[in-house]
Protein backbone atom coordinates (compact mmCIF):
# COMPACT_ATOMS: atom_id res chain seq x y z
CA UNK A 1 0.00 0.00 0.00
CA UNK A 2 1.34 3.40 -0.98
CA UNK A 3 -0.07 5.64 1.74
CA UNK A 4 1.12 9.23 1.85
CA UNK A 5 1.60 10.65 5.35
CA UNK A 6 -0.21 13.88 4.52
CA UNK A 7 -3.28 11.94 3.29
CA UNK A 8 -3.26 9.77 6.40
CA UNK A 9 -2.97 12.66 8.84
CA UNK A 10 -5.50 14.71 6.89
CA UNK A 11 -8.01 11.87 7.17
CA UNK A 12 -7.49 11.68 10.94
CA UNK A 13 -7.46 15.46 11.47
CA UNK A 14 -11.21 15.87 11.91
CA UNK A 15 -12.35 15.13 15.49
CA UNK A 16 -15.26 12.94 14.40
CA UNK A 17 -13.11 10.88 12.04
CA UNK A 18 -10.54 10.37 14.79
CA UNK A 19 -13.29 9.37 17.23
CA UNK A 20 -14.64 6.87 14.69
CA UNK A 21 -11.18 5.36 14.10
CA UNK A 22 -10.50 5.05 17.84
CA UNK A 23 -13.90 3.42 18.40
CA UNK A 24 -13.46 1.03 15.47
CA UNK A 25 -9.97 0.15 16.74
CA UNK A 26 -11.42 -0.71 20.15
CA UNK A 27 -14.38 -2.71 18.83
CA UNK A 28 -12.62 -4.26 15.77
CA UNK A 29 -15.57 -3.65 13.44
CA UNK A 30 -18.67 -1.45 13.56
CA UNK A 31 -21.61 -0.74 11.30
CA UNK A 32 -22.74 2.75 10.34
CA UNK A 33 -25.75 2.51 12.66
CA UNK A 34 -23.53 1.75 15.67
CA UNK A 35 -21.26 4.68 14.86
CA UNK A 36 -24.27 6.96 14.36
CA UNK A 37 -25.53 6.03 17.82
CA UNK A 38 -22.18 6.25 19.60
CA UNK A 39 -21.06 9.53 18.03
CA UNK A 40 -24.48 11.17 18.10
CA UNK A 41 -24.45 12.24 14.46
CA UNK A 42 -26.86 11.76 11.59
CA UNK A 43 -26.24 8.84 9.25
CA UNK A 44 -25.32 11.01 6.22
CA UNK A 45 -22.69 12.85 8.27
CA UNK A 46 -21.16 9.61 9.59
CA UNK A 47 -21.23 8.07 6.12
CA UNK A 48 -19.39 11.06 4.65
CA UNK A 49 -16.66 10.83 7.31
CA UNK A 50 -16.34 7.08 6.83
CA UNK A 51 -16.10 7.53 3.06
CA UNK A 52 -13.18 9.93 3.56
CA UNK A 53 -11.42 7.45 5.83
CA UNK A 54 -12.03 4.66 3.34
CA UNK A 55 -10.82 6.78 0.42
CA UNK A 56 -7.63 7.56 2.34
CA UNK A 57 -7.12 3.82 2.89
CA UNK A 58 -7.51 3.97 6.67
CA UNK A 59 -10.67 1.85 6.75
CA UNK A 60 -12.06 -1.10 4.85
CA UNK A 61 -15.78 -1.70 4.39
CA UNK A 62 -17.82 -4.81 3.86
CA UNK A 63 -21.50 -5.03 3.11
CA UNK A 64 -23.67 -7.58 4.87
CA UNK A 65 -27.29 -7.37 3.82
CA UNK A 66 -28.38 -3.77 4.33
CA UNK A 67 -25.51 -2.95 6.68
CA UNK A 68 -22.02 -1.70 5.92
CA UNK A 69 -19.34 -2.62 8.45
CA UNK A 70 -16.04 -0.78 8.82
CA UNK A 71 -12.71 -1.92 10.22
CA UNK A 72 -9.13 -0.67 10.27
CA UNK A 73 -7.29 -1.56 7.07
CA UNK A 74 -4.71 -4.13 8.21
CA UNK A 75 -2.77 -3.48 4.98
CA UNK A 76 -1.81 -0.02 6.21
CA UNK A 77 1.94 0.50 6.52
CA UNK A 78 3.35 -0.41 9.92
CA UNK A 79 3.99 3.24 10.79
CA UNK A 80 0.29 4.09 10.22
CA UNK A 81 -0.94 1.10 12.23
CA UNK A 82 1.47 2.11 15.00
CA UNK A 83 0.08 5.66 15.00
CA UNK A 84 -3.48 4.36 15.33
CA UNK A 85 -2.50 1.90 18.08
CA UNK A 86 -0.47 4.47 20.02
CA UNK A 87 -3.23 7.07 19.74
CA UNK A 88 -5.80 4.49 20.85
CA UNK A 89 -3.66 3.52 23.83
CA UNK A 90 -3.24 7.15 24.82
CA UNK A 91 -6.82 8.38 24.53
CA UNK A 92 -9.23 5.41 24.71
CA UNK A 93 -9.90 5.88 28.43
CA UNK A 94 -10.51 9.64 28.21
CA UNK A 95 -13.48 11.69 27.10
CA UNK A 96 -14.98 11.70 24.47
CA UNK A 97 -13.51 8.34 23.40
CA UNK A 98 -14.53 6.48 26.54
CA UNK A 99 -18.01 8.05 26.32
CA UNK A 100 -18.36 6.76 22.75
CA UNK A 101 -17.46 3.23 23.83
CA UNK A 102 -19.86 3.38 26.78
CA UNK A 103 -22.70 4.50 24.49
CA UNK A 104 -22.17 1.29 22.50
CA UNK A 105 -21.87 -0.93 25.55
CA UNK A 106 -25.19 0.29 26.95
CA UNK A 107 -26.94 -1.18 23.91
CA UNK A 108 -25.01 -4.48 23.79
Amino acid sequence: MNLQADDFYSALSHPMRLRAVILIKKMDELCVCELTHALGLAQPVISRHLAQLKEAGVLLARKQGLWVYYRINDALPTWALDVIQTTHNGVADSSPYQDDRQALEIDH
Side-chain angles (χ1 to χ4, degrees):
M1 171 175 217
N2 187 17
L3 178 68
Q4 299 299 312
D6 55 342
D7 293 335
F8 176 76
Y9 283 106
S10 179
L12 296 180
S13 69
H14 191 281
M16 283 301 157
R17 289 194 296 270
L18 182 59
R19 285 173 65 186
V21 167
I22 296 302
L23 192 55
I24 292 167
K25 176 67 180 165
K26 179 68 177 177
M27 306 303 286
D28 295 323
E29 183 178 67
L30 291 171
C31 71
V32 174
C33 62
E34 291 170 315
L35 288 160
T36 298
H37 173 74
L39 300 177
L41 294 174
Q43 182 272 326
V45 175
I46 291 290
S47 291
R48 186 171 54 247
H49 285 303
L50 294 171
Q52 288 175 294
L53 289 163
K54 184 179 169 198
E55 184 178 318
V58 176
L59 297 180
L60 295 176
R62 71 174 177 89
K63 190 164 180 154
Q64 182 175 338
L66 298 175
W67 306 108
V68 179
Y69 290 85
Y70 289 87
R71 69 181 189 281
I72 303 296
N73 183 352
D74 56 5
L76 284 169
T78 302
W79 66 265
L81 291 170
D82 289 347
V83 166
I84 293 170
Q85 184 65 56
T86 300
T87 304
H88 172 271
N89 292 347
V91 302
D93 292 329
S94 64
S95 186
Y97 309 99
Q98 183 178 32
D99 304 331
D100 298 339
R101 188 177 72 247
Q102 287 174 340
L104 278 180
E105 291 171 354
I106 288 171
D107 290 341
H108 283 90

